[in-house]
Amino acid sequence: MAICFRCHRSGASAPSSVDHYRTLARNARKNKVWPASVPSLLAGHEAIRKWGFQMKSSNGYPLNVVSSQKEEPYTDHSKAKEEQIDSTVSITVVGASGDLAKKKIFPALFALFYEDCLPKHFTVFGYARTQLTDEELRNMIGKTLTCRIDKRENCGDKMEQFLQTCFYHSGQYGSEENFLELDRKLKDKEVGKSANRLFYLSIPPNIFVDVVRCASRTASSPTGWTRVIVEKPFGRDAQSSGELTRSLKQHLTEDQIFRIDHYLGKELVENLSVLRFSNLVFEPLWSRKFIRNVQLIFSEDFGTEGRGGYFDNYGIIRDIMQNHLLQILALFAMETPVSLDAEDIRNEKVKVLRSMRTLQLDDVVVGQYKGHTRGGRSLPAYIDDPTVPKGSLTPTFAAAALFIDNARWDGVPFLMKAGKALHTRRAEIRVQFRHVPGNLYKRNFGTDLDKATNELVIRVQPDEAIYLKINNKIPGLSMRLDSSNLNLLYASRYPREIPDAYERLLLDAIEGERRLFIRSDELDAAWALFTPVLKELEDKRIAPELYPYGSRGPVGAHYLAAKYNVRWGDLSSQYS
């Protein structure tokens, strides 16, 4: 039987009795069969009032614990159940012939279908300028679909069932007539049901507005909701981002716009709030009193490899730091939200971003990888990429020191580092704690007290893990100390395959859960931090420091860390 990773249907640890009957209720709602015991047993729990038999959201918690909806008796939920059963969801992937759609979006949709997480009635449409038939689209995306490593039963049958729900329509991105033709095809599939429509814009940002205008005027749902997922980049600076938001809001409301940052859907990023707010051992330490610095590190061990034309227009700061790493920082540093409701969480993230100092040029180091030979193999420079303009000064590496001017984090440096063509592939959060005051064992560590620093590491990718560095006595007659790690390796503890971030985010968009999507004021606050330094870098044509392909990056990054008495934690880690 297929398993939804949000439900305890099989292959999971035994749920509590309340969870068990919640699961029965969710399954019954979908299958139109209500076990007689479910309503009476749930009625005895407060859960029936708070949950309303809604599916768990992406973190497994009821996000509607604090609900703005009027509480309704059980009989009204029965009516809502019938309305949901009679509805359908049409998912249109705009830019269906592109790499993102083929490699990420269609495979994520199939994974949701395979796990039985999509609604009972759904249709997938691909839309692009490329001329394709339905069968050609199915052949194209069929090559990228895979089943769960730990669950391969009926894999071929499931693929065929999914592909039969996929259709294609060719059209221009700015043609209302072509979108009206798409609307007719959607209505043919939706006949007799309440129609909900989700548009995923897997296209360059310069045509976002044209597509939204055409879709909103001619292809919006006449009876249900219409939502649009927008991929980054959301502009190049504060001005262009604001113009894009205003243009989108001419055709959509804020609640219809889902700005996706796939890093927010990664398992370890989602676990941040759980780690902090549900473990007493961490929350009291989560402040300037005990934390010396926080490092957010992103590195790739490959270069642009033919994508330099796109990358050169944005650079590493816009591509990684202003969105992925800053979003993680906001989740890490936010105050405890009122609830797990999407707006409560996003409100706290915005407060963090608005409390941050505007980034200064003195606190930024930029670099660009150069070619060299290693092991008899010639490694190219960034400007050797034929899609990159000659003499480009676009940084492929950046390090920055940021500060949050509030009571919790005043004076704590948050160091970011992101780069391409480095020595390893990684994304992690490193929390270095303060030295122990009056440490009785400081003689055993010598003058380098950093060796005695406790450090919490949350490895987002690859090989997801959480580990805590502690000081320990080496067994023996002498007093020798060692730094050891308390490890939680996800592959060992949780052998089941971790869902891809796009699966989680697509399912959230279908369910209308906005917690992992970026709100417009959040985007404004993020761009306000980085726009001045980006403008200064470009106006002054500051040349990036060159570093060899496959190295640890430019030396300037180490001087920046030293400026704030910090040593990059990834340089000495046994997990490097």
Side-chain angles (χ1 to χ4, degrees), residues 289-310:
K289 185 176 180 181
F290 297 101
I291 292 178
R292 190 158 57 103
N293 67 81
V294 180
Q295 302 174 21
L296 300 106
I297 298 170
F298 174 96
S299 65
E300 292 178 334
D301 55 1
F302 53 88
T304 53
E305 298 181 351
R307 292 185 65 250
Y310 163 82

Side-chain angles (χ1 to χ4, degrees), residues 8-139:
H8 296 287
R9 297 189 190 171
S10 64
S13 58
S16 69
S17 60
V18 177
D19 285 337
H20 173 68
Y21 287 107
R22 285 174 180 160
T23 302
L24 285 178
R26 287 195 297 272
N27 293 342
R29 184 178 183 185
K30 180 172 182 177
N31 299 325
K32 307 184 185 181
V33 178
W34 286 82
S37 60
V38 171
S40 60
L41 284 166
L42 277 176
H45 296 285
E46 186 183 5
I48 191 171
R49 176 174 62 81
K50 291 184 177 179
W51 282 68
F53 307 134
Q54 298 231 354
M55 201 174 188
K56 286 182 182 179
S57 188
S58 53
N59 65 352
Y61 289 93
L63 293 186
N64 58 342
V65 167
V66 178
S67 176
S68 59
Q69 297 180 352
K70 183 179 178 180
E71 294 175 7
E72 298 174 343
Y74 167 71
T75 52
D76 286 340
H77 286 300
S78 177
K79 181 179 178 181
K81 176 191 71 170
E82 293 298 329
E83 290 175 355
Q84 185 189 30
I85 290 171
D86 290 333
S87 67
T88 183
V89 175
S90 298
I91 304 165
T92 302
V93 181
V94 182
S97 58
D99 280 349
L100 178 64
K102 289 185 287 188
K103 295 178 180 178
K104 290 292 185 180
I105 302 171
F106 287 116
L109 288 170
F110 170 66
L112 293 176
F113 172 75
Y114 187 76
E115 298 282 4
D116 199 26
C117 286
L118 288 180
K120 182 176 181 180
H121 303 290
F122 76 95
T123 305
V124 178
F125 261 86
Y127 185 100
R129 291 176 295 201
T130 308
Q131 295 290 333
L132 293 175
T133 64
D134 293 344
E135 198 58 38
E136 287 172 332
L137 173 75
R138 293 165 185 164
N139 291 335

Side-chain angles (χ1 to χ4, degrees), residues 39 52 81 92 94 155 174-175 187 190 219-220 234 347 369 407 414 512 519 559:
K81 176 191 71 170
T92 302
V94 182
C155 185
S175 170
K187 286 178 178 176
E190 298 163 346
S220 289
F234 313 115
N347 287 343
Y369 66 87
F414 284 76
R519 205 167 61 189
Y559 287 114

Side-chain angles (χ1 to χ4, degrees), residues 186-201:
L186 292 174
K187 286 178 178 176
D188 288 342
K189 306 298 179 184
E190 298 163 346
V191 63
K193 298 180 180 66
S194 176
N196 299 306
R197 295 181 180 177
L198 176 66
F199 292 86
Y200 195 119
L201 305 193

